[in-house]
Amino acid sequence: MNRRRPSRTFLRVFSAFCLVFVMTITTLAAWSALDERRGSEVEAEVLDVEHRGPRTFVTVQFSTRRGEVCEADFRVAVGANRSVTIGERIRVHHAKSDPCLRVREVGDRSGWFILLIAVVLLIAFGIMAYVAWRRPRPPLPLRYAGIP
């Protein structure tokens, strides 16, 4: 069976594109994780609770330290907040730059999972780019060429 291998130029272009893309994603994920870390925790009032199968979604209202009043929806990930009712108060964490858009409950660490995946992809595509761009090795000399 004669299989056709992809061209070396295609592998180089593909690996370079993927490496730049994953570097960008890793940078954005790291910035997002640091921005969330610089945010703060506040008490929020639960305005609405919606159950969609095993998942629970809540709408909360809170005010930031700068005085902004925010309303946000998010999925409950911490087991203690799964049975929350309307009118209760729960602790939420918001990011520094977008406090009304990037809200999660205290104890939810799912943001770090994206950063971990981005780093693993960065390593994988870095190895792929190294293999695609390295100089090919010369063929090994025939050890016993011409000897009967």
Side-chain angles (χ1 to χ4, degrees), residues 49-68:
V49 178
E50 183 179 345
H51 299 284
R52 296 183 205 159
R55 298 182 179 137
T56 303
F57 293 87
V58 295
T59 303
V60 295
Q61 183 177 17
F62 61 95
S63 60
T64 65
R65 293 179 192 227
R66 289 186 263 165
E68 275 184 272

Side-chain angles (χ1 to χ4, degrees), residues 30-146:
W31 178 84
S32 176
L34 290 174
D35 186 47
E36 278 200 21
R37 188 171 175 99
R38 286 186 300 231
S40 61
E41 296 179 6
V42 294
E43 286 274 325
E45 181 182 355
V46 178
L47 299 177
D48 187 32
V49 178
E50 183 179 345
H51 299 284
R52 296 183 205 159
R55 298 182 179 137
T56 303
F57 293 87
V58 295
T59 303
V60 295
Q61 183 177 17
F62 61 95
S63 60
T64 65
R65 293 179 192 227
R66 289 186 263 165
E68 275 184 272
V69 176
C70 297
E71 191 173 303
D73 301 326
F74 60 88
R75 180 178 168 210
V76 175
V78 177
N81 292 333
R82 290 195 194 278
S83 60
V84 70
T85 59
I86 297 174
E88 283 188 51
R89 299 188 71 77
I90 62 172
R91 304 255 329 143
V92 295
H93 182 87
H94 62 82
K96 184 178 180 183
S97 64
D98 296 322
C100 295
L101 297 176
R102 296 175 42 215
V103 179
R104 62 175 171 80
E105 57 189 326
V106 173
D108 181 16
R109 302 284 181 222
S110 60
W112 291 97
F113 186 64
I114 294 170
L115 183 60
L116 178 67
I117 290 173
V119 169
V120 169
L121 286 175
L122 181 66
I123 292 169
F125 283 119
I127 291 170
M128 186 175 119
Y130 172 75
V131 169
W133 285 87
R134 72 175 183 198
R135 295 171 62 190
R137 294 181 180 168
L140 294 172
L142 297 174
R143 186 172 278 184
Y144 299 107

